[in-house]
Amino acid sequence: MVMGLPALRHAGLVLAVSAFAFAGFAHADDPPQPRPEATAPTGQKGGRGGSSQTAAQASPSAAEQHGLPADATTNQMLDLPGRTLAFTAIAGSIRLFDDKREPQADIAYTSYELDGTDHATRPVTFLFNGGPGASSAWLQFGSAGPWRLPLDGEALSPSASPEVKPNAETWLDFTDLVFIDPVGTGYSRFVASGEDVRKRFYSIDGDVSSIALVIRRWLEKHGRLLSPKYVAGESYGGIRGPKVVRQLQIQYGVGVRGLILLSPLFDFREFTGTSLLQYVATLPSYAAVAREAKGPVTRADLADVEAYARGEFLADLVKGQADKEATNRLADKVAALTGIDQAVSRRLAGRFDVGEFRREFDRKNGKVTGRYDASVRGFDPYPDSSSSRFGDPSGDALQAPLTSAAVDVLTRKLNWRPDGSYEVLNGAVERAWDFGHGITPPQSVSELRQILATDPKLNVLVGHGLFDLATPYFGSQRVLDQLPAFATPRIKFVVYPGGHMFYSHDGSRQAFRGEVEALVKR
């Protein structure tokens, strides 16, 4: 799911560093223990008379009271076209401790392991979404897991059925799967109180350290340290992914064979302040939306727009609005590429931020485009307002059915029943997030370079959707183009019809699954 930070947040939706292990997780290495049942204190009804055991001694600790239940293991069978998959599913958690051995958080995971395989050679992939504040439900029930919830853009509504179906494109055929919900998402939660623990986890470094440690602990807990390992992240996973792999390499002694990134953002700098690169990154996606409205479009159809964006468009942007000839030239070209009224484009000097494009593209019909998928359009609830007051028709409708689907699978299929609410997209996490590092916006390009330089066998797969305005594909292309020559042969970049969750399109999901399988079997 997409990223969000104050400069990128639109319609109230959450999006979607260096290897650093702080002392708070130095000894966070014990697996969660079964939660004890409360027993009646002696001297009360049900206890032995004559003793003076205190209520504190007889009651569970605060951590146990707030923690998650014991892991639940079930045997599953999945009937798919041409094959049947028998696998073991575990819904559970890993408890993290601070350097004083005090419990800090229970991190929930859902794992699927194919039966009858050799764990020494069987690959295992760890998957997480973004946000910060998004659970792993999108990747689990939209793309890679054994069951899938149809995410069909305009056909989906909050009242759509949350019933999941067998996923013919599951990755389970060629890799075991572990879906991780960072603290504050899914059922993952703090078991310690106080602001200090929240500040540690709700930060770039603390988040990376906790996820890397959960991966290491899961491998130990399930006897999988010898397995080939892969990491997959979506959206803000573009920041998390390279950093987690680097942390595993240098801090936790775990090598990773491949990094898989879906709709990632690598560098916040081009989307902040007055950066001109934000307009370069989004222009090809704007044009893709306009052309898709007239018929199917592929990336190859956008070669002219990409060449213009990195050439004449950027050159005219740099000249500035003081150069009226250059400004009008680019404004008119942008109007022609996007179909937006020329007068509007000139008024905005051809510089459409995402919110402006979403409102102006189909304004004549009182509709706005999606941010996650701009090929999806919905009604503007305030079409006559002088300010933008709309949500995201490509994202808002997903939250209700996706939440219900996740809860139903965990409680009914996997027999794991935590108390509390399942947080599919927790805006409070993003609002509390410490993006850190002074005036330097977060980026993971440094870690991407380091992990590729450190391990010459590591390969990277990056997938994007053409109509994604949250993390536009051309932004990632620009970042990857700057990597040194030693890295580029081991990076594959693919772009498909679709939005941020491009796997909601059947053809795109099938094609990307084939790329993932090729990476894992390489």
Side-chain angles (χ1 to χ4, degrees):
M1 189 58 169
V2 90
M3 315 169 156
L5 75 164
L8 281 181
R9 193 186 306 126
H10 292 280
L13 284 175
V14 182
L15 207 126
V17 306
S18 60
F20 174 81
F22 54 84
F25 294 148
H27 300 288
D29 54 3
D30 284 345
Q33 300 299 315
R35 314 303 192 230
E37 297 293 330
T39 57
T42 57
Q44 299 182 14
K45 186 177 180 180
R48 292 184 299 172
S51 72
S52 58
Q53 186 179 18
T54 67
Q57 290 172 318
S59 299
S61 68
E64 300 303 335
Q65 289 176 341
H66 297 296
L68 291 170
D71 298 358
T73 302
T74 57
N75 297 315
Q76 304 284 339
M77 191 76 70
L78 195 67
D79 291 322
L80 298 171
R83 72 223 195 257
T84 298
L85 301 180
F87 60 96
T88 300
I90 302 177
S93 64
I94 289 176
R95 177 159 290 180
L96 300 184
F97 297 80
D98 66 9
D99 57 347
K100 297 179 181 178
R101 309 292 298 173
E102 295 294 332
Q104 301 292 288
D106 282 353
I107 308 298
Y109 69 86
T110 309
S111 66
Y112 302 104
E113 297 178 90
L114 196 67
D115 294 343
T117 62
D118 178 3
H119 284 178
T121 59
R122 171 74 174 170
V124 57
T125 302
F126 297 89
L127 304 95
F128 42 79
N129 274 79
S135 74
S136 61
W138 279 272
L139 285 177
Q140 181 170 180
F141 302 114
S143 179
W147 300 285
R148 191 175 69 85
L149 178 70
L151 307 175
D152 295 326
E154 290 180 342
L156 191 64
S157 70
S159 58
S161 171
E163 182 181 4
V164 297
K165 305 292 185 181
N167 182 16
E169 287 79 46
T170 180
W171 301 359
L172 189 56
D173 293 84
F174 50 84
T175 177
D176 291 336
L177 303 167
V178 184
F179 297 91
I180 298 172
D181 291 332
V183 67
T185 74
Y187 283 121
S188 296
R189 61 191 60 178
F190 292 104
V191 294
S193 60
E195 284 304 306
D196 288 346
V197 64
R198 277 174 167 72
K199 288 180 180 179
R200 286 201 300 271
F201 279 84
Y202 288 171
S203 68
I204 294 174
D205 295 333
D207 172 70
V208 167
S209 186
S210 67
I211 293 174
L213 182 54
V214 167
I215 291 173
R216 171 58 191 253
R217 287 297 300 119
W218 189 93
L219 291 167
E220 295 173 354
K221 182 177 179 179
H222 296 273
R224 300 297 298 270
L225 282 168
L226 299 182
S227 299
K229 305 158 197 77
Y230 297 81
V231 169
E234 181 178 353
S235 197
Y236 182 80
I239 298 292
R240 277 182 175 142
K243 295 176 184 297
V244 167
V245 172
R246 182 62 173 165
Q247 186 83 295
L248 288 168
Q249 284 180 340
I250 67 170
Q251 182 66 32
Y252 293 119
V254 173
V256 174
R257 294 275 188 93
L259 175 61
I260 303 159
L261 297 173
L262 298 85
S263 307
L265 184 67
F266 292 106
D267 192 341
F268 279 89
R269 287 174 293 189
E270 68 181 44
F271 291 101
T272 57
T274 58
S275 172
L276 296 178
L277 290 176
Q278 62 184 304
Y279 306 115
V280 175
T282 53
L283 183 60
S285 290
Y286 294 164
V289 174
R291 294 180 181 184
E292 189 272 342
K294 301 176 182 178
V297 62
T298 66
R299 188 186 179 189
D301 300 323
L302 299 168
D304 62 317
V305 185
E306 293 182 10
Y308 170 67
R310 71 173 80 219
E312 294 177 31
F313 179 68
L314 178 59
D316 282 345
L317 281 175
V318 171
K319 292 174 183 176
Q321 296 188 48
D323 188 328
K324 295 297 294 183
E325 181 180 353
T327 299
N328 288 337
R329 181 168 58 241
L330 78 87
D332 292 348
K333 181 69 171 181
V334 168
L337 290 173
T338 63
I340 292 177
D341 184 81
Q342 183 188 52
V344 174
S345 187
R346 284 203 173 193
R347 174 170 58 82
L348 296 173
R351 294 158 169 82
F352 285 85
D353 70 24
V354 169
E356 288 163 338
F357 174 84
R358 292 178 58 208
R359 192 176 197 204
E360 295 296 339
F361 179 74
D362 199 15
R363 190 167 187 172
K364 63 181 180 296
N365 293 316
K367 290 188 174 183
V368 294
T369 78
R371 177 173 174 246
Y372 294 146
D373 187 342
S375 69
V376 176
R377 282 177 279 287
F379 289 108
D380 186 344
Y382 297 95
D384 300 322
S385 174
S386 60
S387 60
S388 299
R389 302 166 64 187
F390 51 84
D392 186 348
S394 64
D396 292 356
L398 298 176
Q399 295 190 51
L402 191 58
T403 301
S404 293
V407 173
D408 182 64
V409 169
L410 287 169
T411 59
R412 186 173 59 85
K413 287 184 180 291
L414 305 187
N415 199 32
W416 196 54
R417 297 179 173 84
D419 59 6
S421 299
Y422 182 92
E423 296 284 357
V424 70
L425 185 61
N426 189 350
V429 174
E430 188 270 339
R431 289 190 294 271
W433 201 261
D434 179 7
F435 287 92
H437 308 291
I439 62 173
T440 304
Q443 54 86 22
S444 63
V445 182
S446 300
E447 286 78 16
L448 185 62
R449 287 172 174 252
Q450 290 168 336
I451 62 176
L452 286 163
T454 300
D455 190 344
K457 296 182 179 180
L458 175 68
N459 293 283
V460 178
L461 172 64
V462 179
H464 269 280
L466 285 173
F467 316 128
D468 181 6
L469 302 186
T471 58
Y473 80 90
F474 203 57
S476 289
Q477 182 68 76
R478 183 198 64 79
V479 168
L480 298 177
D481 285 344
Q482 308 309 311
L483 295 179
F486 74 81
T488 51
R490 289 183 280 136
I491 297 177
K492 186 160 189 181
F493 185 70
V494 292
V495 183
Y496 304 109
H500 195 67
M501 292 76 77
F502 60 81
Y503 43 77
S504 64
H505 291 230
D506 290 346
S508 300
R509 183 176 64 260
Q510 293 161 3
F512 190 70
R513 191 241 192 210
E515 294 289 354
V516 175
E517 183 175 14
L519 173 70
V520 171
K521 292 183 176 180
R522 185 173 300 172

